[in-house]
C-alpha cells in the first residue's frame, strides 16, 4: 500500500515532526455463513478476527477494532461499522480498502473508509442500529436465497404480521425477547427504544422485516421475528404481543428465527445528520 512520508516536509526527519495516529471508520459488509459471529474469538473464524488480521498485515502494525454491532454466528451485515487507530496519518484509505478486500473478499468487503474525529467510536458513538430480516414465504425453497432468507412454507398473514409490530414501538423492557448476559446482575437493563418496526412485501413470496432501535440485546431481533412469524401462521394472535412483551418471560417466546435471515443493515451517528435516539440509552 502506497503512503506518503509524513517527515518529508521536515529535513531533520525527527520523530517530533510526525503527526499522531488517526482514527479510521470502515463500513463493512459480510456474509456471516462461515463465521462464528463478529467478535474475535480465539480458535474459530470470526469477522472481527479475520478483519483485524488483514488490517494488521496491510498496515504493518496490530490493530484494535471497535464494532457497532456484535452480530451472532451466521448473521450477515451490509452496513456494519468498525473503527480503529492507524499509525500513519497519511494512509491511503482507498489502497487500504482494496488491499483488505483482496485478502478477505468476497466474504468480507470494506465498502467505505474515512478518517474521523479522535473521539469517534463505532460502538459508543452510534445512536441507532437498523436490522433487516428476510423470510421466503412460498411452498418451495429457493437455493439462491438459502443463505440469506428463512424459508417458511406455510402461508403467512401479512396483515397479522404488521399488526404485531405496533406493541414493539417505543421504550420497553424486552426481557421476553433477549438472552440475558451470563453473570449479569439486576442492574443490567434490557430496556431498549424501538424507533420503527415494519414488514414489507417484496413480491414472489419474499417478505422483509425492518427494525430500527437505539440498541439491541442478544437475540432480540430473531426472537421478535420468531414470535411475529408465529402470529402470521395463526399460532398466536397479534393482540397477544403486548402481553408477551410486558410479561418479561423468555419462555413466552419459544421460537427464535434462524440467524441466516438476519442482516445488520445500517448504523446511525449524529454527525451524519441521521435520525437519532436518546444517546444516553443502553448500549448493545
Amino acid at each position: 500500500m502506497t503512503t506518503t512520508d509524513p517527515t518529508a516536509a521536515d529535513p531533520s526527519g525527527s520523530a517530533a515532526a510526525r503527526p499522531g495516529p488517526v482514527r479510521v471508520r470502515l463500513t463493512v459488509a459480510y456474509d456471516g455463513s462461515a463465521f462464528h459471529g463478529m467478535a474475535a474469538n480465539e480458535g474459530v473464524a470470526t469477522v472481527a478476527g479475520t478483519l483485524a488480521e488483514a488490517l494488521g498485515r496491510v498496515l504493518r502494525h496490530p490493530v484494535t477494532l471497535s464494532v457497532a454491532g456484535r452480530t451472532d454466528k451466521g448473521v450477515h451485515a451490509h452496513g456494519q461499522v468498525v473503527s480503529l487507530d492507524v499509525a500513519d496519518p497519511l494512509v491511503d484509505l482507498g489502497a487500504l480498502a482494496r488491499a483488505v478486500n483482496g485478502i478477505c473478499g468476497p466474504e468480507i468487503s470494506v465498502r467505505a473508509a474515512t478518517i474521523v474525529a479522535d473521539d469517534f467510536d463505532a460502538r459508543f458513538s452510534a445512536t441507532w442500529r437498523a436490522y433487516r430480516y428476510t423470510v421466503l414465504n412460498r411452498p418451495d425453497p429457493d437455493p439462491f436465497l438459502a443463505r440469506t432468507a428463512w424459508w417458511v412454507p406455510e402461508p403467512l398473514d401479512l396483515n397479522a404480521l404488521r399488526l404485531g409490530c405496533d406493541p414493539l414501538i417505543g421504550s420497553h423492557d424486552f426481557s421476553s425477547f433477549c438472552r440475558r448476559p451470563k453473570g449479569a446482575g439486576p442492574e443490567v437493563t434490557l430496556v431498549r427504544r424501538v424507533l420503527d418496526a415494519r414488514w414489507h412485501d417484496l413480491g414472489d413470496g419474499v417478505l422483509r422485516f425492518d427494525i430500527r432501535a437505539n440498541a439491541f440485546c442478544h437475540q432480540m431481533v430473531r426472537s421478535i421475528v420468531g414470535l411475529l412469524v408465529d402470529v402470521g401462521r395463526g399460532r398466536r394472535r397479534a393482540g397477544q404481543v403486548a402481553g408477551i412483551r410486558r410479561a418479561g418471560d423468555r419462555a413466552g417466546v419459544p421460537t427464535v428465527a434462524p440467524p441466516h435471515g438476519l442482516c445488520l443493515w445500517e448504523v446511525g451517528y449524529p454527525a451524519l445528520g441521521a435520525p437519532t435516539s436518546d444517546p444516553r440509552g443502553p448500549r448493545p
Side-chain angles (χ1 to χ4, degrees):
M1 182 179 62
T2 303
T3 60
T4 303
D5 183 356
T7 64
D10 178 16
S12 68
S14 66
R18 292 177 178 269
V22 292
R23 185 150 296 180
V24 172
R25 165 184 164 167
L26 305 178
T27 302
V28 181
Y30 50 85
D31 179 339
S33 303
F35 295 101
H36 289 252
M38 179 68 192
N41 189 355
E42 191 171 352
V44 295
T46 67
V47 178
T50 302
L51 189 58
E53 182 180 357
L55 286 163
R57 284 174 57 186
V58 176
L59 295 169
R60 299 186 180 183
H61 65 76
V63 298
T64 300
L65 305 182
S66 176
V67 301
R70 297 176 178 178
T71 55
D72 287 340
K73 178 181 179 180
V75 175
H76 315 294
H78 171 77
Q80 175 74 271
V81 177
V82 173
S83 58
L84 67 149
D85 289 332
V86 174
D88 183 355
L90 300 180
V91 60
D92 183 334
L93 295 178
L96 174 64
R98 290 190 295 273
V100 171
N101 289 342
I103 297 170
C104 298
E107 290 81 8
I108 300 175
S109 172
V110 176
R111 297 176 48 227
T114 57
I115 292 175
V116 290
D118 291 345
D119 62 351
F120 175 86
D121 184 279
R123 181 184 179 194
F124 293 108
S125 298
T127 52
W128 55 265
R129 287 96 171 150
Y131 280 87
R132 287 183 169 180
Y133 196 97
T134 304
V135 172
L136 177 64
N137 186 218
R138 60 190 191 216
D140 301 314
D142 185 337
F144 298 103
L145 294 176
R147 292 164 68 101
T148 58
W150 179 19
W151 175 45
V152 179
E154 306 98 315
L156 297 177
D157 183 338
L158 184 58
N159 289 331
L161 292 174
R162 288 171 169 164
L163 285 172
C165 292
D166 292 344
L168 304 173
I169 306 297
S171 295
H172 306 290
D173 185 327
F174 282 91
S175 296
S176 294
F177 299 91
C178 298
R179 289 184 61 182
R180 194 163 189 85
K182 291 182 180 179
E187 72 283 357
V188 175
T189 178
L190 295 180
V191 173
R192 300 293 187 265
R193 184 184 178 197
V194 173
L195 306 169
D196 191 34
R198 64 184 67 196
W199 285 89
H200 305 272
D201 184 354
L202 304 185
D204 200 23
V206 180
L207 305 178
R208 191 184 75 212
F209 177 66
D210 285 327
I211 185 167
R212 183 164 58 90
N214 67 324
F216 292 88
C217 45
H218 192 203
Q219 291 191 347
M220 178 173 161
V221 181
R222 291 168 55 200
S223 297
I224 287 173
V225 172
L227 175 62
L228 294 180
V229 166
D230 278 349
V231 169
R233 285 167 162 159
R235 298 177 182 176
R236 305 284 188 100
R237 292 180 289 103
Q240 294 179 280
V241 174
I244 291 169
R245 189 207 71 219
R246 287 193 296 265
D249 183 0
R250 191 75 179 88
V253 186
T255 302
V256 179
H260 65 273
L262 184 60
C263 181
L264 173 56
W265 189 254
E266 188 179 5
V267 183
Y269 297 93
L272 300 182
T276 62
S277 62
D278 186 348
R280 297 167 298 178
R283 303 296 182 179

